[in-house]
Amino acid sequence: MGTRALGRLANSSHWNRSLASALLGSRESSFRSGKSLSSSYPVLGTTAGIFTSTDVVTNQSSFGRIWVYLISGVLSWGGIHTSLAEELSARPSTADNMEQEVQLVEDSLQSSNQASNPHTARWRIYTDMGRDLFSQGRLDEAEKYFVRALEEAKKGFGDRDPHVASSCNNLAELYRMRKEYAKAEPLFLESVQRLEQALGPMHESVAFALHNLAGTYLQQHNYELARTCYERSLKIKERKLGPNHPEYANTMFHLAEVLRLQGNNVDAEHLIRDSLRILEEGGVGHSQQAVRRMSRLAEILVHSGKLQEAEILQRKILHILEMLQGPESLSTITAVDNLATTLQALRKLDEAEELFLRCLQVRQKALSSTHILVGSTLFKLAVVTTQQADEMVADKSRSVEEARMAYERAEDMLRQAIRIAEQRWEEALGGVAAADQAASAMLGTDVSLGPKALNTLIPPLLALVRSLNALGIVVMHLADLAGSPVVRVCYLFHDLRL
């Protein structure tokens, strides 16, 4: 069934055929090589929420390298968790944040004796109503009030008044939330320019507006412009708010994220450490915000090969989450998963197995037996079990029967993971096919699968392929132990209907 699913993809379009051929070819080479799972397959996982894959095992097979290349930027089957991810936006998208942005402007105008008029009164009403609707997620309705607030601000305060900049910022933030960056960016730019003209280039309100603008550039992957804006915002905040202010730490963290995405992990690590220090000195070192930043730091440490330090930090994260959210919350289990992956890379296999089992039990209970994360956990647990079996084989004092039983446990888990992956794949393919059929009916011409289907189809497909690849390696090990590789491989090919 696994290969039939790959075949369906291969028949859809040119790029799909190329992808399927690459995956099938790498899978066949893995069957032929008979390498051990622990040496030929990458251990994957993340310690934060941004979509990345962590390769912490050397000597990968061609399949492992292909998987890592393809998965970059795509939500993968295993180890990619968003529950700990800190949204890399300008500022937290809440009504309270918008109120703070407006308040900063109003504080600067307290001595200006700005006269009230009907337009300024309506500006306040529309702004409040827009914020309330925004906080409820009713963005279309909120947009109408923010547009009206901007119009009334220009009429009541004057076109060059900072209140206009504040209204521009609120409307821009709404567009940013809707990913309408072409509308958000010019409004953020206008907000910065108006504040600079009215309050001066070093006012704290300019710093907040620059931070917001940088967040929009970051979400559009324009890292150089994002970096420039964050650096300038950080300079202003340091001068106006001080180097120990939480908002200074906030911009510092976001600048670190840009540097990380540009490949500068060294500077990113230093900035995140400083950001965490500020939170800890401010008495919020165990907050959710701090946990998210620690998770990003742990991810950088893993990528940098500092696994022992990453382990210590991940244990701290897990301890905090167990206190804050309980031992069975999904966020806590994400932290358990991340720690287990690092322990696996450190070859602390028994503890890694124990933690992956904990993940499996909680996820099966909280989600479902066929959830994508359950399949991911089964795969990871199977990899650890296979590595344990490899060590048993290498240790001449251990019995061959003990290793065989471990390989068989891994085989069973991989077959379960394959069944889940096939189900997710069929669902994804059916959804894309239905969308193509609807588009074809609307346009009056055939519409085939294209790059837009990538994000839907690739995760379950790669989950299927990597589990099949791992299963083939496990079966080869069992064949070696049984002394009959041909029989075992023929059995596998028959079982998978190849």
Side-chain angles (χ1 to χ4, degrees):
M1 292 181 67
T3 301
R4 288 208 307 273
L6 294 176
R8 290 180 62 183
L9 179 66
N11 292 328
S12 58
S13 64
H14 175 73
W15 73 269
N16 286 328
R17 287 194 296 272
S18 300
L19 174 59
S21 298
L23 293 173
L24 281 168
S26 62
R27 177 182 164 196
E28 291 168 358
S29 67
S30 296
F31 276 120
R32 289 192 297 268
S33 68
K35 294 180 180 180
S36 70
L37 182 62
S38 58
S39 64
S40 65
Y41 201 83
V43 178
L44 302 168
T46 63
T47 52
I50 304 298
F51 299 157
T52 56
S53 60
T54 303
D55 173 18
V56 292
V57 172
T58 57
N59 300 322
Q60 302 171 45
S61 66
S62 59
F63 172 80
R65 290 192 295 273
I66 289 174
W67 193 94
V68 172
Y69 297 152
L70 287 174
I71 204 60
S72 178
V74 180
L75 179 61
S76 74
W77 171 271
I80 309 303
H81 307 301
T82 57
S83 59
L84 295 182
E86 177 162 12
E87 181 192 8
L88 296 175
S89 64
R91 290 161 58 83
S93 303
T94 63
D96 290 341
N97 177 57
M98 290 187 171
E99 177 67 34
Q100 184 178 5
E101 197 69 39
V102 172
Q103 190 64 48
L104 284 170
V105 174
E106 291 179 345
D107 287 345
S108 68
L109 300 177
Q110 285 181 357
S111 60
S112 65
N113 296 320
Q114 177 71 49
S116 298
N117 58 62
H119 294 296
T120 61
R122 283 194 288 270
W123 167 81
R124 167 53 67 189
I125 293 172
Y126 292 151
T127 298
D128 289 344
M129 294 183 70
R131 280 202 316 271
D132 290 341
L133 292 168
F134 184 94
S135 66
Q136 298 172 38
R138 298 160 63 181
L139 300 186
D140 291 342
E141 297 173 73
E143 178 186 5
K144 298 176 183 178
Y145 286 103
F146 282 148
V147 169
R148 293 176 185 174
L150 178 56
E151 295 171 351
E152 296 297 334
K154 291 179 179 179
K155 294 176 183 178
F157 295 109
D159 192 61
R160 298 172 63 87
D161 189 271
H163 291 86
V164 177
S166 175
S167 294
C168 287
N169 181 83
N170 289 344
L171 184 56
E173 176 67 1
L174 183 144
Y175 290 137
R176 185 197 66 79
M177 285 290 293
R178 293 201 312 208
K179 294 181 171 58
E180 297 178 16
Y181 303 122
K183 293 182 179 180
E185 181 180 337
L187 284 168
F188 277 132
L189 281 167
E190 183 178 353
S191 178
V192 171
Q193 293 167 357
R194 290 179 183 277
L195 289 171
E196 287 177 329
Q197 293 170 359
L199 304 175
M202 295 302 293
H203 194 275
E204 58 265 28
S205 293
V206 175
F208 287 119
L210 283 166
H211 185 117
N212 293 343
L213 176 61
T216 302
Y217 287 137
L218 176 56
Q219 289 183 298
Q220 296 178 85
H221 309 292
N222 192 333
Y223 300 135
E224 278 303 315
L225 285 178
R227 177 177 177 175
T228 299
C229 292
Y230 279 135
E231 287 176 343
R232 187 179 166 202
S233 175
L234 192 66
K235 182 179 179 180
I236 298 172
K237 287 183 177 181
E238 182 178 22
R239 179 178 299 184
K240 302 298 291 187
L241 303 176
N244 295 314
H245 195 281
E247 282 295 343
Y248 177 75
N250 184 39
T251 298
M252 186 182 295
F253 172 71
H254 283 77
L255 175 58
E257 181 61 22
V258 173
L259 295 175
R260 184 189 69 84
L261 291 169
Q262 290 183 316
N264 186 352
N265 279 342
V266 174
D267 289 340
E269 178 184 335
H270 291 317
L271 286 172
I272 295 176
R273 289 185 187 277
D274 284 344
S275 176
L276 282 168
R277 174 188 55 78
I278 293 170
L279 292 182
E280 290 170 355
E281 292 176 354
V284 289
H286 284 191
S287 64
Q288 288 285 354
Q289 185 181 45
V291 168
R292 288 189 287 269
R293 296 182 191 184
M294 282 188 277
S295 298
R296 174 63 81 228
L297 177 58
E299 180 188 352
I300 291 175
L301 292 173
V302 169
H303 275 285
S304 302
K306 302 175 182 178
L307 299 181
Q308 290 82 4
E309 189 176 358
E311 176 192 351
I312 294 172
L313 185 57
Q314 287 171 334
R315 290 187 186 279
K316 180 178 180 180
I317 293 168
L318 178 57
H319 176 67
I320 294 172
L321 286 174
E322 285 177 332
M323 291 191 303
L324 292 178
Q325 300 187 20
E328 294 191 356
S329 76
L330 293 181
S331 293
T332 300
I333 294 305
T334 295
V336 173
D337 193 310
N338 292 334
L339 174 58
T341 301
T342 300
L343 292 172
Q344 180 183 4
L346 289 167
R347 305 301 295 187
K348 299 180 180 181
L349 299 181
D350 290 344
E351 187 177 1
E353 178 189 29
E354 180 182 346
L355 292 177
F356 280 136
L357 281 170
R358 176 180 169 185
C359 292
L360 182 62
Q361 292 168 357
V362 173
R363 284 170 174 164
Q364 286 176 328
K365 178 181 177 181
L367 302 171
S368 72
S369 59
T370 59
H371 193 276
I372 189 169
L373 286 178
V374 172
S376 169
T377 309
L378 284 165
F379 170 81
K380 294 178 181 180
L381 190 55
V383 172
V384 171
T385 304
T386 303
Q387 290 173 326
Q388 291 173 318
D390 291 343
E391 292 185 351
M392 294 175 192
V393 172
D395 185 355
K396 301 302 182 182
S397 65
R398 306 288 289 269
S399 69
V400 173
E401 179 64 16
E402 191 177 2
R404 184 187 64 79
M405 292 175 63
Y407 283 130
E408 288 180 346
R409 289 198 303 273
E411 179 182 4
D412 180 65
M413 288 184 284
L414 287 169
R415 291 186 185 279
Q416 293 180 59
I418 288 169
R419 286 194 293 271
I420 295 173
E422 286 180 331
Q423 183 176 340
R424 299 281 81 81
W425 161 254
E426 294 293 342
E427 290 175 357
L429 192 62
V432 171
D436 286 347
Q437 186 176 7
S440 299
M442 181 180 299
L443 298 175
T445 182
D446 289 338
V447 177
S448 61
L449 298 179
K452 289 185 178 180
L454 184 68
N455 288 341
T456 301
L457 295 176
I458 287 296
L461 174 62
L462 292 179
L464 176 60
V465 172
R466 76 174 188 175
S467 295
L468 288 167
N469 183 74
L471 179 59
I473 295 171
V474 170
V475 168
M476 290 298 290
H477 281 302
L478 284 168
D480 289 341
L481 292 180
S484 180
V486 174
V487 173
R488 290 292 301 181
V489 172
C490 289
Y491 165 77
L492 173 65
F493 275 52
H494 176 269
D495 183 65
L496 296 177
R497 298 175 174 85
L498 290 174

